[in-house]
Amino acid sequence: MAAAAAAELAALLGPAAAPAARAGAAEAALALSGSAEGRRLLLGSSEALPALLGLAAGPCPPAARAALGCLVNLSAEPAARGPLLAGLPALLGLLPDGQACGLLANLCREPEAAERVLRGLQERGPGLEPLLQALAEPRPPPQLGPLLCNLSQLPEGRRCLLDRSRRSVQRLLPFTQYRGSVVHRRGVVGALRNCCFDYGDHEWLLGEEVDILPFLLLPLAGPEEFPEDEMERLPLDLQYLPQDKQREEEPEIRKMLLETILLLTATQAGRDVVRAKGTYLVLRELHRWEREPPVLRACQRLVQVLIGDDPGPGMENLLEVQVPPEVEQELLRLEREEEEQEQEEEQEEERGSPQPPA
């Protein structure tokens, strides 16, 4: 019964159906794709997905919008990713539409699929440029950040963003404090973090041409007032912040910002710059304010690098240090134990908290 209904819907989605019937079928498919059972039903038809791809790239805006929305939902299912990648040329032609960005961001979670998407963008000529140009729109598509983040997991994707002649990475920086979309902001911060794995660009990123550090520190800073001698150590953008200055509200983004700065301290030159610009002062106040254990741990790791002794000979570049497998496993074990202990303490506090009056 379900298979027959899916086949009937697929026929109505196909090019042989009348435009009005196709538009109605696309709306029905969109509603159906909102549940796991509905997505399985659509994916059980070999004709539905190609028909939806054809509609998404077609000339009828209402039908195209519904079909694309349905494809975004279907892209969360592993079974859909192969067929969707087969329709990549049509999907790339829809960029930088927000739904198309979201669909491709879902597909790009795995490196192999990300490689296919990035290769497809490069074969079209401009590469990431259409996506970067969309950053200049008054309201960039929220899904643009996650797409750039997932593409930047690839070395070639990072090279595109770190292209000095195009000033690509500079276009990302203002979005570390973008209030229009937490999804976009999270994706952009993730892309910046990925770019900082390439330590050969750290000096340039921290230098005057990019000056990335204030953009990473400002979301972590609050309204605290510093003594004059400490204030002078901070970058100009972090001096005399207003009393209503708020920190980044999302713990995951605060943690990624800290991890990004930590990556920039991998080399001696990077550590010197990060220390000289008063980073510790911002972290000191953040640590007093922070309540989320994962963010606190990230903050403590970074503080330890900044106030601790520098690594000895042969370990100046922390990203090049080879950690023995047994040491890495032990560190992971200790981290898991620390997280479990914190969870137990939190549960104990909840059990011991007074009950509200009846």
Side-chain angles (χ1 to χ4, degrees), residues 72-91:
V72 172
N73 292 341
L74 290 175
S75 65
E77 299 290 335
R81 291 171 192 166
L84 286 172
L85 285 169
L88 201 54
L91 294 175

Side-chain angles (χ1 to χ4, degrees), residues 104-157:
L104 290 169
N106 284 343
L107 294 182
C108 284
R109 288 175 181 169
E110 299 298 328
E112 288 185 9
E115 287 178 8
R116 289 182 62 177
V117 172
L118 183 59
R119 192 184 318 122
L121 287 167
Q122 292 170 330
E123 288 172 354
R124 294 176 67 86
L128 297 186
E129 188 58 28
L131 302 181
L132 294 170
Q133 287 179 357
L135 293 172
E137 296 178 3
R139 291 186 63 83
Q143 305 90 339
L144 182 55
L147 177 56
L148 290 170
C149 180
N150 290 345
L151 290 172
S152 67
Q153 69 181 300
L154 305 172
E156 181 60 30

Side-chain angles (χ1 to χ4, degrees), residues 6 27 33-34 42 53 98 108 135 148 163 169 201 246 249 255 278 289 293 302 310 313-314 337-338:
E27 291 289 349
S33 67
L42 287 168
L53 279 167
C108 284
L135 293 172
L148 290 170
D163 186 333
V169 75
D201 289 291
Q246 296 182 349
E249 61 192 26
K255 182 171 178 284
W289 173 89
L302 179 52
D310 284 320
E337 287 182 357
E338 183 181 352

